[in-house]
Amino acid sequence: YLKKYCEPVGEKKSALSGKRVHVSEQDHCGGARFIGFDEMEKYWKGIGGKPIEDAQLASLDAILEAVLPKALYTGNVILGNSGDCIDCDRCSNTRFALQSHDLSDSKFCAYSYLSRVCSFSFGSGFMGECDQVIQVHYGYRTIRSFECLRMFNCADCYFSAGLENCQNCIFCFNLKNKSYCIGNLQLTKEEYGKFKQKILGEARAELKAKKDVFGIVELIAHGNFKGTESELRVQRGIEKSPYFGTGKPVPKVLEEGFRNTSKLLLGTGLSGIEQYEKWLMRHVRVPPKMKSVASGKAMYNVPVLAFAYTTKNCVTIEEAESAAKGSITQEELEKLSVYTAKDLLGKIKYFTPETKFGDSLDVEESVDFSSSMHCWRGACYWTSKYCCYTFWMRDGEHMYGS
């Protein structure tokens, strides 16, 4: 149950010792070999420390032939003040973690991913500064919540999605600054408490009996998880270029930034960034294309696994704000339960992956951004500028294909 929407930690075998090596990414070249981070000393004393002879520097092919035996991926990477990280990879300043990856400054996490400054996180990920959460995907400063998607500054919420600055909400969607709501219907604190005990009792019974529960992802997807393999996975790289493109050219300021950055790194400035789209996106998460179920408007999804199942019921952020005005009726509330929610919430359970916070300027063909400028063709730009073809960029500048 905890692992079903989390991007898993992969397991490989060490080329040096045969021991298990845990890796967070599956985007490796064919025939790739691996070592554990704790085997670095052994690696450098052996093949890694063997110098390349002068004769092997005669040509690029000769250099590659000499270097390839040294080329190994490293897993089990645990950095900083970390401890008790079991079967984890790419964790820094993290303590007490199990089968998790890409955590920083976190503690007491299991089956979690892509999180920073989080604690007591179970089956959750793509979060920042969250505490005591189970099956919460994409959250910021959200605490004591269960089965939620895209939650910002929320507390004590259950089976909800798209909430901002909300507390004590169950089966709610796209609300802002609300509390004591069920099915987007405003209740008194006493009414809310009565229904909360009923619904949580049902959830506990389901988890105890089946070790699973019909959760927020299933609700949004209508329980229908049918789709192509490409729809139900996190895609890295594009098969055909152009992938992005609405007819608008990339602005000159981005072209100039790409040219200057490539000149700095390669000695020659590259012009026409769109020509390099396929190369730049080769190992970058691709925001899936989809259409709003309400209007048919083209839009992009956030490229994390939990969101892949929501595409059949997504709307734009403006349409989500409009849908939030609806609610279930008092009569429907009396019938509402963990078992009937799928049928009773149909008119409100729309989901948007789009986030637009702060003042952003010239952010195009992208999904999910905050206080960024001149960022194009990517996903998750946070306080960044001059970026293109990237994913999950925070405080980044002049980043391309990253």
Side-chain angles (χ1 to χ4, degrees):
Y1 164 69
L2 292 174
K3 295 168 70 173
K4 63 181 177 179
Y5 302 121
C6 288
E7 299 169 14
V9 179
E11 186 175 305
K12 306 293 182 179
K13 183 181 290 188
S14 169
L16 295 182
S17 64
K19 295 179 180 179
R20 293 187 305 162
V21 177
H22 296 91
V23 294
S24 59
E25 292 284 355
Q26 308 302 312
D27 186 24
H28 304 113
C29 62
R33 299 180 302 148
F34 300 83
I35 60 172
F37 187 67
D38 58 351
E39 297 178 307
M40 292 295 291
E41 184 177 354
K42 182 178 180 181
Y43 168 79
W44 284 112
K45 287 181 178 180
I47 189 171
K50 185 179 179 181
I52 298 176
E53 299 177 2
D54 291 344
Q56 295 174 306
L57 301 175
S59 66
L60 181 59
D61 288 341
I63 293 173
L64 288 174
E65 185 178 352
V67 169
L68 281 177
K70 301 172 179 284
L72 291 88
Y73 288 98
T74 304
N76 299 345
V77 177
I78 310 297
L79 302 172
N81 186 24
S82 298
D84 295 289
C85 295
I86 302 171
D87 298 345
C88 296
D89 185 36
R90 298 206 307 210
C91 295
S92 64
N93 300 323
T94 294
R95 302 190 67 84
F96 306 108
L98 172 67
Q99 291 193 32
S100 300
H101 64 88
D102 295 286
L103 307 182
S104 65
D105 303 291
S106 298
K107 58 185 177 181
F108 303 109
C109 301
Y111 315 113
S112 297
Y113 64 99
L114 292 173
S115 298
R116 53 180 295 274
V117 198
C118 291
S119 56
F120 299 99
S121 164
F122 305 97
S124 302
F126 205 49
M127 304 184 303
E129 302 178 41
C130 293
D131 179 52
Q132 295 179 312
V133 294
I134 298 176
Q135 281 290 7
V136 172
H137 302 273
Y138 197 9
Y140 177 66
R141 292 186 176 174
T142 290
I143 61 174
R144 298 188 304 274
S145 293
F146 174 81
E147 285 285 353
C148 293
L149 287 181
R150 191 186 170 278
M151 307 286 285
F152 302 115
N153 297 295
C154 293
D156 303 292
C157 293
Y158 302 81
F159 300 106
S160 296
L163 306 191
E164 298 176 20
N165 304 311
C166 291
Q167 299 82 38
N168 295 293
C169 291
I170 302 175
F171 293 130
C172 289
F173 298 83
N174 306 304
L175 296 182
K176 295 181 180 180
N177 308 310
K178 293 288 187 178
S179 59
Y180 302 114
C181 293
I182 296 181
N184 286 17
L185 180 67
Q186 183 68 62
L187 304 175
T188 66
K189 182 177 180 180
E190 292 71 23
E191 290 173 321
Y192 177 86
K194 170 188 171 182
F195 283 99
K196 176 181 177 180
Q197 291 307 313
K198 170 181 177 290
I199 291 168
L200 296 193
E202 294 167 349
R204 287 193 298 266
E206 283 288 287
L207 284 167
K208 186 174 181 179
K210 301 178 181 179
K211 306 298 183 288
D212 200 354
V213 69
F214 196 86
I216 186 62
V217 174
E218 289 94 337
L219 279 174
I220 294 171
H222 305 301
N224 179 12
F225 286 176
K226 293 181 180 179
T228 66
E229 182 181 353
S230 62
E231 288 177 323
L232 303 183
R233 67 181 177 88
V234 177
Q235 180 181 346
R236 291 171 176 80
I238 56 177
E239 296 180 0
K240 185 179 180 181
S241 184
Y243 179 83
F244 297 94
T246 57
K248 297 174 65 176
V250 172
K252 292 182 178 179
V253 67
L254 269 180
E255 286 283 9
E256 182 180 355
F258 178 62
R259 183 167 59 251
N260 291 339
T261 301
S262 57
K263 184 176 182 179
L264 174 68
L265 297 174
L266 304 174
T268 299
L270 302 177
S271 299
I273 190 172
E274 292 174 311
Q275 301 177 62
Y276 300 94
E277 179 190 71
K278 188 173 182 180
W279 170 63
L280 290 170
M281 291 294 297
R282 185 167 55 172
H283 299 292
V284 175
R285 295 183 186 224
V286 180
K289 295 177 180 179
M290 59 183 182
K291 293 184 177 181
S292 164
V293 68
S295 63
K297 182 179 178 180
M299 52 188 299
Y300 293 101
N301 203 354
V302 173
V304 295
L305 184 61
F307 282 33
Y309 297 85
T310 68
T311 56
K312 307 300 183 188
N313 212 33
C314 281
V315 295
T316 68
I317 192 169
E318 293 80 13
E319 292 163 347
E321 291 173 353
S322 178
K325 298 175 183 177
S327 70
I328 61 174
T329 65
Q330 188 68 37
E331 182 181 356
E332 289 170 330
L333 176 65
E334 298 295 334
K335 299 176 182 178
L336 186 62
S337 71
V338 167
Y339 314 105
T340 63
K342 181 178 70 170
D343 299 317
L344 293 176
L345 299 173
K347 61 185 178 183
I348 64 169
K349 61 176 185 175
Y350 295 103
F351 176 70
T352 182
E354 297 180 342
T355 300
K356 300 176 183 179
F357 287 150
D359 295 323
S360 292
L361 171 69
D362 188 34
V363 180
E364 297 281 349
E365 300 178 53
S366 301
V367 58
D368 187 67
F369 50 87
S370 172
S371 302
S372 295
M373 60 185 294
H374 305 305
C375 292
W376 278 52
R377 300 179 180 175
C380 311
Y381 290 118
W382 291 77
T383 55
S384 296
K385 54 187 177 181
Y386 309 112
C387 299
C388 196
Y389 303 121
T390 67
F391 167 72
W392 205 25
M393 195 56 58
R394 184 171 180 266
D395 300 326
E397 184 173 348
H398 292 295
M399 304 293 289
Y400 307 94
S402 303

